[in-house]
Amino acid sequence: MHQAPILITGASQRIGLHCAERLLEDGFPVIVTYRRERDSIDRLRTLGAHTLKADFSDEAGITGFIAALRQQTASLRAIVHNASEWRPDAPGQEAEAFRQLFQVHMLAPYLINLHCADLLRHGGPADIVHIGDDVTRKGSKKHIAYAASKAGLDNLTLSFAASLAPAIKVNGIAPALIQFNADDDAEYRRKALAKSALGIEPGAEVIYQSLRYLLDNPYVTGTTLTVNGGRHLI
Ligand SMILES: NC(=O)C1=CN([C@@H]2O[C@H](COP(=O)(O)OP(=O)(O)OC[C@H]3O[C@@H](n4cnc5c(N)ncnc54)[C@H](OP(=O)(O)O)[C@@H]3O)[C@@H](O)[C@H]2O)C=CC1
Ligand SMILES: Nc1nc2c(c(=O)[nH]1)N=C([C@H](O)[C@@H](O)CO)CN2
């Protein structure tokens, strides 16, 4: 059994939920954040996870979470910044959308890393992992604000890796299509699958495998793992 818990933000569904369940299965204590009560959060509690309600949509929500986290635990094995909103650029809501994406993808990881890095300084292996997006490689015509905020997250990986070494490793994972959303129609799915050399919807396990590689490897920091099925080859 591992000692200090791993924090995963936004773990009530999909990739975050899968990684939380797999970490618990592999004997890691886990703390997760969520925004609203759901069966999945109850299931994680049953599996032994500690759950903290947190909305990173504004600074108060982020700083309130930091205070709650520090009440919950005196040490952490890792921090996984998974919480994310995927929203297209919407006419009339440009500035609000940009602010929301900046808050969740950049301000939350920035403030949590700054104010909780000390919880990782316990002498043992310690990691911060930012879940980004392969789209930062070339931008996005329809998700301009989203891609920009994820590109900022990529840069936080470099700065925090330099700043927190050697005690804490800081890395990123840049997925492309991992898991469709329920409302993705057949045409959207066909086009999305055609954008990668491997042409599959791999599912969340490939992100868990990438997370474990980063947690288990003592000699990787300042790196972002591309998990994109070879999109860059098309
Ligand atoms: N799925 C994919 O194919 C891809 C995913 N990624 C990245 O991988 C990660 C996981 O993806 P996926 O599982 O699809 O993510 P989701 O879109 O399912 O979102 C994950 C969680 O983020 C939480 N969240 C959203 N906004 C906020 C906020 N303002 N404050 C706190 N929590 C928030 C939500 O919590 P709640 O439900 O409790 O409201 C949600 O459960 C993300 O960072 C994503 O950008 C990158 C490329 C492809
Ligand atoms: N927070 C999220 N980010 C992203 C999602 C998602 O569902 N939630 N999905 C994608 C897509 O898979 C895209 O990569 C291709 O369709 C990107 N980011």
Side-chain angles (χ1 to χ4, degrees):
M1 184 71 173
H2 306 270
Q3 295 307 314
I6 294 178
L7 167 69
I8 303 187
T9 65
S12 61
Q13 64 187 32
R14 295 161 58 80
I15 292 172
L17 175 60
H18 179 80
C19 287
E21 288 172 332
R22 295 283 284 107
L23 285 169
L24 288 163
E25 192 179 293
D26 287 349
F28 291 91
V30 167
I31 299 173
V32 301
T33 80
Y34 67 98
R35 287 189 297 183
R36 57 190 169 84
E37 283 298 335
R38 301 161 77 163
D39 292 346
S40 57
I41 294 298
D42 270 340
R43 189 163 77 245
L44 287 176
R45 291 186 183 114
T46 306
L47 293 172
H50 289 282
T51 63
L52 293 175
K53 190 170 180 169
D55 190 329
F56 302 138
S57 300
D58 59 30
E59 186 178 344
I62 300 167
T63 52
F65 163 71
I66 290 168
L69 177 67
R70 300 188 69 89
Q71 285 291 318
Q72 176 65 47
T73 186
S75 68
L76 286 170
R77 166 65 185 80
I79 299 173
V80 182
H81 294 287
N82 169 77
S84 169
E85 201 166 342
W86 191 45
R87 57 193 290 181
D89 305 297
Q93 300 169 16
E94 297 90 342
E96 179 51 25
F98 198 99
R99 261 193 300 277
Q100 289 298 313
L101 292 162
F102 165 80
Q103 301 276 11
V104 66
H105 293 153
M106 288 189 68
L107 189 61
Y110 174 70
L111 292 178
I112 292 167
N113 291 351
L114 284 179
H115 295 285
C116 298
D118 64 304
L119 301 180
L120 292 162
R121 291 184 187 281
H122 38 63
D127 288 86
I128 294 172
V129 179
H130 298 140
I131 311 289
D133 192 316
D134 179 58
V135 78
T136 61
R137 212 168 16 88
K138 63 179 197 175
S140 167
K141 287 184 283 190
K142 295 180 181 172
H143 296 80
I144 299 170
Y146 167 87
S149 63
K150 285 285 191 173
L153 182 59
D154 287 349
N155 197 261
L156 289 178
T157 298
L158 299 173
S159 298
F160 278 110
S163 158
L164 299 178
I168 302 165
K169 297 185 278 117
V170 183
N171 292 289
I173 298 172
L177 173 66
I178 300 299
Q179 212 171 336
F180 285 115
N181 279 288
D183 56 355
D184 291 336
D185 63 26
E187 181 57 11
Y188 176 87
R189 291 171 188 241
R190 185 189 65 72
K191 284 181 180 174
L193 291 171
K195 287 180 182 174
S196 79
L198 300 180
I200 61 167
E201 176 196 16
E205 181 65 8
V206 299
I207 302 301
Y208 181 66
Q209 290 169 325
S210 306
L211 176 59
R212 284 304 304 270
Y213 166 77
L214 293 173
L215 294 177
D216 298 349
N217 191 310
Y219 197 51
V220 174
T221 196
T223 294
T224 292
L225 294 184
T226 293
V227 186
N228 73 353
R231 263 193 185 208
H232 54 287
L233 304 173
I234 300 293

